[in-house]
Amino acid sequence: MPIKIVNMIPNSLSGESGRDSEPNVSATFLDPSSIAASVFTLDPGNSGNAPIYISSDGGDTWVLNVLLPGGNKTNDTTLRFVGGSNVLYAGILRTDNSHLNILRTADFTAPALMTVLVDKDNDDQPYVEGGTALAGSGAGSDRVYVGENDFSALSGQTATVDFSLVAATAPPPANFVTTTRIESRATVGQDGPPTRPAVHLDGTIYALFLGWRSGTTTDVVVVRDDNWASGASSFQALLDGDGNAGVRVVTGAARVPLGTLLGTQRIGGQCAIAVDPRDSSTVYVAWADGTTGANQTIHVRRSTQRGAAGSWSGDLATIAAATNPGLAINRHGAVGFLYQQLHAVAGVNRWQTHFQFTTDGFATPATDFILADLEDNKGNYTGPNPIGDYAGLIAVGKNFYGVFCGFNTPDNANFPNNVTYQRNANFTTHVLTDGLGNPVAASIDPFFFRYDTVAASDDFYVRDWTDSPSSGDNGAEPSTHAVFYATSDVWNRRGTLPGSFPNDQPDNEDAGNGVGNIGDNWAFARIRRNAAAASGSQDVTAHFLVSKFGTGSNYVDATSGDPDVTFIGADPVVTFAAPDLGPLITPPQQWHLATIASTHLCLAVEITGPNDPYDPPSLVGNTPGWPTTDLRIINDNNKAQRNMGLSTTPARGAGMSDCYYAIAHNAAPFPRNMELSYAVAPETLRALHGAEIGVVGGETASLREQGVLRLAAMQPGENRWIGLRFPASKGDEGQLLTVNMFELSGEVVVNGFAMGARLGDMKSVIAEKLRQAKSVFTRLFAFLSLEAARELDDLTSGHIEAERHEEREFLGYLGRVAPAFEAMLRRAISAGERGDPFAIIPATGNLLAAIGTGDAGALAVAFSCLLNRIDSWLTMLRLREGDVADILQTVRWQRALYMNDERLRRLASAREVVERSEAFVRGYGRRRVTNANYPGLIREVSEGLEETARALPRLSLAEAAAALRQAEPDLRRLQKGHAEFLGLLQRSQAW
């Protein structure tokens, strides 16, 4: 892809000749074409306040907006947009009193000055980063972190982070926690000037600084916090071998004394840090060290284990005679690396600004763009420090934006990848002119650059959310909605037509199950793209997947070998002509749900364009948020999912309560305490007055606007059920009353689902309940071989086919079937040790009581709740037999145990078990390995499992190993046996 470079000085300032250096840049989340930048530029109006640069066209053109207080220009300044609110934050050093200010504005395009949130004296180099919490107690809150060098520390431990967890909304000082020392060791009087934070949306906060230990040595130190720095002791998660907080990536590195010159540029302390948005375990750092200006060298290193001691790589890249490193990682995990390097041409020093791009972490030579090759000393500015102490680089979704500065001589030879000037510039005579044609001396200008790894015309996406016809996901990465699973553009229908779009949202239908066309379903997606193409057409492929309703359940697709789900035909393709932006609806993807399967499911889609693949790994065998808190749906606009289960209740209300259930599945390869947060709109809570929510087999509580459900000691692959009981409420037909559930890791949403009621007329209510009854009766017969269930199924089918949806017919129908239904359920539940965890028997009493009222609405609601209880009970029984959706997770679990359990690591076969498991996981993520390869993997590791059984005789593993051998080729039984074997190992550990 070509790279765009723009001289940012507006045409109206063509006559200026200042030192416009030390630039920084940020783009808005909702519209990445709206960009703000900070530079040492004087206010041309001499107002006593300073400007920032703003662009509304993706960096093609720039104008000034005066909104920074404290002098006609600022000293060190950085700025960030951190979330969907589009609030802009800035950290500045004022020129009128040298104070550090932390600022904010809700509208960076308005002329009003930014609000001062924090005012501090005796600080240096404020550097702003942040993120928005999507759920938890601080849902929607902007969290802002300002790294700085705070000289008020008497101990000389000057590396500091100021932060606020409610920066957007709280009045000044916006609850900022100031002067959080992140240096834990003695210094030579101060740390290096830069303290650089890096923020991941899962709440992981890193910070990098240079710990000056003597006049000639420095440590390169990384600290981390795992929960937004919200605890009593922040940034203490990384401990080094000396017991102090902060891992020393390098100890005793040579440091150039501050003020040493490289060419005419002042050096002596530069660093950068970036965290992978897909996985907060992966973090990169860059720093500069050396003994003189000439040998100062930038180093790049990486940790894939959350920065832990001993986890850091060697040098991935080294750049000699260089300064001003910048790092950023895009949504594909590609790394951008910015630096400025001094070199000599015919004995004259010049600064080359490089942007490197690597998709494999520097394993092979990175793509290297020379952005500019400019003079070190020329024209109107001849003093030290011409380009300043830092440049700027950020990732914007898949793409990269950056800013740097240098001398502005208009010469194409200085810009190997082309450049655009706004100011008057003659590239033939290499002369700048003012508005009257008078020559202007060369000086330091800021330059913006943009590298699109995917062109806007190639960037296809599926909406994660639509609030209204005028408000919806625009393909931003990450998506800005916590509820990214309820109004997304992927949906199911019971026929081949896509249905209607009330409120511009697809009309999803619950899946059907059964033999023949009864179990046939059709999946759809709406696809858009960000810009029209100049010519030609492009084909986009949609790949559909399903999982069980709830959170944490892994997805299956056509390759999974799931006996319950069959995808029919090839992945559908939609063709975009050159001018098409969409939305275009995919052809229907037919899929079939077996008789025995529940119709309560989630649906997902992954799309692939010619130049726009989805981010691997695929969702198949996975669930959003695990095996790491990867945020794979909101980070990748090529993926979308729908996790919403609704029960239709009479809009006229009824004197009974409905209920709905969802699975909470521990998708992690280790035991954990699982937390689910929920949120209910106030008007919905009023409508659902008296509703209750809880964990089946655990406590139930009254529904509130917000709450948390805690599921303690969840084993890998374990399922528990969340239940919502709610009254049938009065309201408008078509109205949705939903409870949004968020699966949390710390305070970040990694997955979720919504459940509740859809209000409808009585005909639609009765029709849904009859279809639901047919599904449940079909499952009862198929799974439990109950003849009475087949008879009830036949009777229900007759009512559906005859469209007997009148209230009198419905009352008569249930009056006839209820006694047989109750007797059948009592026999089924009393058989064996199945139990009645969903309180089915009491619910049959409610059904009989409703029949006695003669109220068809109340009867429909009571019947619905009973059917939902039965359906969830049958799913529970089915999952006890194993689940092919969990095959990949089980292999990950195996890998984790044999890597981390000291007893297992000592086994001769442990290494092979880990390597075979790792190969399976890697291949699965790219759809090169499927569940069909699972029996082969079990055979490959069988010797290791048998060695484990012999080495740990007290665990009674031999019988489990034998059962595992006998399960092949039944994938469901094989997964069950494998999980039971690993469960014995897991439960023998203390955790």
Side-chain angles (χ1 to χ4, degrees), residues 332-346:
H332 288 309
V335 179
F337 174 35
L338 176 69
Y339 61 90
Q340 294 182 283
Q341 184 177 34
L342 191 73
H343 74 124
V345 177

mmCIF file of all heavy atoms in Angstrom, residues 332-346:
data_model
loop_
_atom_site.group_PDB
_atom_site.id
_atom_site.type_symbol
_atom_site.label_atom_id
_atom_site.label_comp_id
_atom_site.label_asym_id
_atom_site.label_seq_id
_atom_site.Cartn_x
_atom_site.Cartn_y
_atom_site.Cartn_z
ATOM 1 N N HIS A 332 -4.608 -6.268 13.481
ATOM 2 C CA HIS A 332 -4.138 -7.558 12.988
ATOM 3 C C HIS A 332 -2.914 -8.043 13.745
ATOM 4 O O HIS A 332 -2.390 -9.115 13.449
ATOM 5 C CB HIS A 332 -3.785 -7.456 11.500
ATOM 6 C CG HIS A 332 -4.961 -7.330 10.595
ATOM 7 N ND1 HIS A 332 -6.038 -8.183 10.627
ATOM 8 C CD2 HIS A 332 -5.243 -6.425 9.605
ATOM 9 C CE1 HIS A 332 -6.924 -7.828 9.717
ATOM 10 N NE2 HIS A 332 -6.464 -6.767 9.084
ATOM 11 N N GLY A 333 -2.409 -7.244 14.681
ATOM 12 C CA GLY A 333 -1.197 -7.607 15.391
ATOM 13 C C GLY A 333 0.063 -7.199 14.675
ATOM 14 O O GLY A 333 1.168 -7.552 15.109
ATOM 15 N N ALA A 334 -0.045 -6.450 13.572
ATOM 16 C CA ALA A 334 1.131 -5.947 12.870
ATOM 17 C C ALA A 334 1.732 -4.789 13.666
ATOM 18 O O ALA A 334 1.004 -3.990 14.270
ATOM 19 C CB ALA A 334 0.767 -5.483 11.470
ATOM 20 N N VAL A 335 3.057 -4.703 13.659
ATOM 21 C CA VAL A 335 3.761 -3.711 14.465
ATOM 22 C C VAL A 335 4.293 -2.603 13.560
ATOM 23 O O VAL A 335 4.909 -2.867 12.516
ATOM 24 C CB VAL A 335 4.928 -4.359 15.227
ATOM 25 C CG1 VAL A 335 5.688 -3.311 16.054
ATOM 26 C CG2 VAL A 335 4.417 -5.475 16.133
ATOM 27 N N GLY A 336 4.046 -1.362 13.958
ATOM 28 C CA GLY A 336 4.644 -0.208 13.324
ATOM 29 C C GLY A 336 5.753 0.337 14.199
ATOM 30 O O GLY A 336 5.615 0.408 15.429
ATOM 31 N N PHE A 337 6.858 0.725 13.589
ATOM 32 C CA PHE A 337 8.050 1.193 14.313
ATOM 33 C C PHE A 337 8.548 2.452 13.618
ATOM 34 O O PHE A 337 8.890 2.428 12.437
ATOM 35 C CB PHE A 337 9.098 0.088 14.307
ATOM 36 C CG PHE A 337 10.438 0.442 14.887
ATOM 37 C CD1 PHE A 337 10.559 1.308 15.961
ATOM 38 C CD2 PHE A 337 11.600 -0.118 14.353
ATOM 39 C CE1 PHE A 337 11.803 1.629 16.491
ATOM 40 C CE2 PHE A 337 12.848 0.186 14.875
ATOM 41 C CZ PHE A 337 12.950 1.061 15.946
ATOM 42 N N LEU A 338 8.560 3.557 14.342
ATOM 43 C CA LEU A 338 8.971 4.861 13.824
ATOM 44 C C LEU A 338 10.275 5.272 14.504
ATOM 45 O O LEU A 338 10.445 5.067 15.713
ATOM 46 C CB LEU A 338 7.882 5.894 14.115
ATOM 47 C CG LEU A 338 8.154 7.359 13.745
ATOM 48 C CD1 LEU A 338 8.193 7.542 12.246
ATOM 49 C CD2 LEU A 338 7.078 8.254 14.380
ATOM 50 N N TYR A 339 11.190 5.841 13.761
ATOM 51 C CA TYR A 339 12.406 6.389 14.358
ATOM 52 C C TYR A 339 13.024 7.400 13.396
ATOM 53 O O TYR A 339 12.696 7.458 12.217
ATOM 54 C CB TYR A 339 13.416 5.285 14.699
ATOM 55 C CG TYR A 339 13.904 4.483 13.511
ATOM 56 C CD1 TYR A 339 15.032 4.861 12.785
ATOM 57 C CD2 TYR A 339 13.234 3.317 13.118
ATOM 58 C CE1 TYR A 339 15.482 4.110 11.700
ATOM 59 C CE2 TYR A 339 13.670 2.567 12.036
ATOM 60 C CZ TYR A 339 14.794 2.972 11.330
ATOM 61 O OH TYR A 339 15.233 2.233 10.248
ATOM 62 N N GLN A 340 13.933 8.208 13.946
ATOM 63 C CA GLN A 340 14.671 9.194 13.153
ATOM 64 C C GLN A 340 16.169 8.916 13.323
ATOM 65 O O GLN A 340 16.679 8.855 14.448
ATOM 66 C CB GLN A 340 14.304 10.610 13.590
ATOM 67 C CG GLN A 340 12.838 10.911 13.268
ATOM 68 C CD GLN A 340 12.409 12.318 13.633
ATOM 69 O OE1 GLN A 340 12.179 12.618 14.800
ATOM 70 N NE2 GLN A 340 12.300 13.193 12.634
ATOM 71 N N GLN A 341 16.870 8.755 12.204
ATOM 72 C CA GLN A 341 18.262 8.293 12.200
ATOM 73 C C GLN A 341 19.150 9.333 11.509
ATOM 74 O O GLN A 341 18.828 9.830 10.424
ATOM 75 C CB GLN A 341 18.368 6.952 11.476
ATOM 76 C CG GLN A 341 19.745 6.329 11.489
ATOM 77 C CD GLN A 341 19.748 4.967 10.801
ATOM 78 O OE1 GLN A 341 19.013 4.748 9.831
ATOM 79 N NE2 GLN A 341 20.563 4.053 11.318
ATOM 80 N N LEU A 342 20.285 9.621 12.158
ATOM 81 C CA LEU A 342 21.245 10.559 11.581
ATOM 82 C C LEU A 342 22.188 9.822 10.630
ATOM 83 O O LEU A 342 22.679 8.743 10.935
ATOM 84 C CB LEU A 342 22.059 11.216 12.686
ATOM 85 C CG LEU A 342 22.919 12.395 12.250
ATOM 86 C CD1 LEU A 342 22.052 13.611 11.953
ATOM 87 C CD2 LEU A 342 23.966 12.727 13.316
ATOM 88 N N HIS A 343 22.416 10.405 9.461
ATOM 89 C CA HIS A 343 23.417 9.869 8.541
ATOM 90 C C HIS A 343 24.055 11.050 7.813
ATOM 91 O O HIS A 343 23.563 12.177 7.863
ATOM 92 C CB HIS A 343 22.793 8.871 7.564
ATOM 93 C CG HIS A 343 21.946 9.504 6.494
ATOM 94 N ND1 HIS A 343 22.154 9.308 5.160
ATOM 95 C CD2 HIS A 343 20.878 10.353 6.579
ATOM 96 C CE1 HIS A 343 21.251 9.976 4.471
ATOM 97 N NE2 HIS A 343 20.466 10.619 5.307
ATOM 98 N N ALA A 344 25.162 10.788 7.181
ATOM 99 C CA ALA A 344 25.897 11.863 6.514
ATOM 100 C C ALA A 344 25.906 11.631 5.015
ATOM 101 O O ALA A 344 26.070 10.502 4.537
ATOM 102 C CB ALA A 344 27.328 11.942 7.039
ATOM 103 N N VAL A 345 25.686 12.707 4.262
ATOM 104 C CA VAL A 345 25.788 12.688 2.805
ATOM 105 C C VAL A 345 26.820 13.741 2.425
ATOM 106 O O VAL A 345 26.643 14.935 2.698
ATOM 107 C CB VAL A 345 24.427 12.988 2.137
ATOM 108 C CG1 VAL A 345 24.585 13.030 0.629
ATOM 109 C CG2 VAL A 345 23.388 11.958 2.549
ATOM 110 N N ALA A 346 27.907 13.274 1.835
ATOM 111 C CA ALA A 346 29.015 14.173 1.463
ATOM 112 C C ALA A 346 29.474 14.986 2.661
ATOM 113 O O ALA A 346 29.753 16.197 2.565
ATOM 114 C CB ALA A 346 28.599 15.072 0.305
#
